[in-house]
Amino acid sequence: MTDDDASDRPARFSSARSDHAGAAGEAEFTEPFAVSPEVALQAVDEGRIVNGFTILGLLWFARHRAAIKARWS
């Protein structure tokens, strides 16, 4: 379960490198990290990712990956 808010608000991301992320007023600790799309999708397939928002985003990405690569090429 999660108490994350799912809404239609746009997300803003920073390309600045940080060791930790998350809003100062939130009582959470997050550590961003990067993996290849193949590793992330394998983790979904193996049930190692349990957050629904993350699973949904990764599955959307898998379905639209070719179109995204074409637009950014």
Side-chain angles (χ1 to χ4, degrees):
M1 295 297 290
T2 179
D3 62 354
D4 287 342
D5 178 4
S7 67
D8 59 0
R9 293 184 313 241
R12 291 188 177 164
F13 298 93
S14 170
S15 61
R17 177 82 174 136
S18 174
D19 291 338
H20 300 89
E26 294 179 344
E28 67 181 357
F29 178 78
T30 60
E31 291 187 71
F33 63 95
V35 297
S36 70
E38 292 76 21
V39 168
L41 293 169
Q42 183 177 358
V44 171
D45 291 343
E46 293 173 354
R48 292 186 288 128
I49 297 177
V50 297
N51 179 281
F53 293 127
T54 303
I55 293 169
L56 183 61
L58 286 169
L59 292 178
W60 180 93
F61 171 77
R63 182 177 178 152
H64 298 282
R65 185 175 179 191
I68 294 167
K69 285 179 80 170
R71 273 189 250 156
W72 284 85
S73 297

